[in-house]
C-alpha cells in the first residue's frame, strides 16, 4: 500500500484435504524427498489397509475401508499432508504463497487492479492444474478474495470496475 499498489489476497480452502490425500502420489513424493526402502515401506504399511467405524447413540456403523487420506488425530497425519502439498508453491509465477496446514493463501500486487487481476488469474489456473494432478479439489464456497489498497486507490476505483477471478 505504501508503494501505491493494489494487492489481491486469495484465501484457498481445500475440500476434505486430509481425507483425499492419494497414497500413491504421497509415497512418490516421499521417495523424491529421499525416503526409500524400509522407511518408505513402513509408511506404505502405515497408510494401507486402514478402516473406520462410527458410533452414534450406541449404534455402530459398518466397517468402511479407506483408500485415501492421512490419519487424522495422529502425529504423522499433519506431517504427511504437509509433505503432500509442499510443492504447491512451485507452480506459482506471480504470487506469494503462505501455507499453514490446510490453509493456504496467495497474494499478488499490481500497479493497476487489472494487472493484479491478470496475475492472480494466471496463478489460480496454475493452482487448478496442480490440484488436478494431485487429486485435490478447492472448496469454492469457502474460498474468498480480498482487495487491499490505499484509501485513495480504493476510493478512486470506478464503480463499474470489479475484479474477476476465473475458475475453470
Amino acid at each position: 500500500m505504501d508503494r501505491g499498489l493494489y494487492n489481491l489476497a486469495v484465501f484457498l480452502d481445500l475440500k476434505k484435504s486430509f481425507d483425499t490425500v492419494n497414497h500413491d502420489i504421497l509415497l512418490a513424493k516421499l521417495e523424491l524427498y529421499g525416503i526409500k526402502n524400509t522407511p518408505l515401506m513402513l509408511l506404505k504399511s502405515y497408510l494401507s489397509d486402514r478402516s473406520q467405524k462410527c458410533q452414534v447413540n450406541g449404534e455402530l456403523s459398518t466397517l468402511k475401508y479407506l483408500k485415501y487420506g492421512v490419519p487424522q488425530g495422529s502425529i504423522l497425519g499433519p506431517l504427511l499432508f504437509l509433505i503432500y502439498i509442499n510443492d504447491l508453491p512451485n507452480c506459482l509465477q506471480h504470487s506469494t504463497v503462505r501455507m499453514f496446514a490446510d490453509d493456504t493463501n496467495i497474494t499478488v500486487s499490481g500497479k493497476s487492479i487489472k494487472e493484479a487481476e491478470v496475475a492472480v488469474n494466471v496463478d489460480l489456473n496454475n493452482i487448478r492444474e496442480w490440484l488436478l494432478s494431485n487429486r485435490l479439489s478447492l472448496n469454492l464456497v469457502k474460498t474468498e478474495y480480498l482487495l487491499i489498497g490505499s484509501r485513495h486507490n480504493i476510493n478512486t476505483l470506478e464503480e463499474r470496475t470489479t475484479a474477476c477471478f476465473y475458475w475453470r
Side-chain angles (χ1 to χ4, degrees):
M1 283 182 5
D2 291 341
R3 297 185 321 216
L5 300 175
Y6 292 92
N7 302 280
L8 284 172
V10 181
F11 302 90
L12 306 170
D13 187 83
L14 298 178
K15 192 182 292 182
K16 298 187 179 210
S17 53
F18 283 74
D19 295 332
T20 55
V21 168
N22 181 286
H23 297 162
D24 293 331
I25 295 172
L26 174 59
L27 291 168
K29 289 182 181 198
L30 287 165
E31 196 165 12
L32 286 173
Y33 283 116
I35 298 172
K36 298 180 187 322
N37 305 321
T38 303
L40 187 64
M41 291 299 106
L42 180 66
L43 287 168
K44 183 177 182 176
S45 172
Y46 177 72
L47 294 168
S48 301
D49 297 323
R50 299 189 74 86
S51 61
Q52 68 182 19
K53 291 183 189 182
C54 292
Q55 184 174 359
V56 178
N57 296 330
E59 293 291 320
L60 196 59
S61 71
T62 58
L63 188 68
K64 180 180 178 187
Y65 287 93
L66 305 174
K67 297 178 185 178
Y68 307 102
V70 292
Q72 294 184 43
S74 69
I75 293 172
L76 278 181
L79 177 63
L80 293 172
F81 178 76
L82 290 175
I83 290 169
Y84 194 76
I85 66 166
N86 192 52
D87 60 341
L88 183 142
N90 297 342
C91 77
L92 301 175
Q93 295 174 303
H94 305 286
S95 302
T96 300
V97 66
R98 289 165 191 86
M99 297 168 37
F100 181 77
D102 62 339
D103 292 322
T104 300
N105 71 66
I106 59 170
T107 55
V108 67
S109 299
K111 293 178 183 172
S112 69
I113 188 69
K114 187 68 178 170
E115 182 182 324
E117 178 185 334
V118 167
V120 82
N121 277 318
V122 166
D123 279 347
L124 284 173
N125 190 55
N126 292 341
I127 290 170
R128 184 183 66 81
E129 293 292 327
W130 184 90
L131 289 169
L132 285 171
S133 66
N134 285 277
R135 298 190 182 145
L136 294 172
S137 59
L138 203 57
N139 184 340
L140 294 177
V141 173
K142 292 184 178 179
T143 295
E144 300 282 343
Y145 77 92
L146 177 66
L147 173 62
I148 304 166
S150 68
R151 179 168 287 155
H152 172 63
N153 279 355
I154 299 298
N155 288 338
T156 57
L157 279 175
E158 294 179 302
E159 283 185 359
R160 68 182 193 287
T161 303
T162 57
C164 295
F165 304 105
Y166 305 103
W167 193 261
R168 290 174 241 145

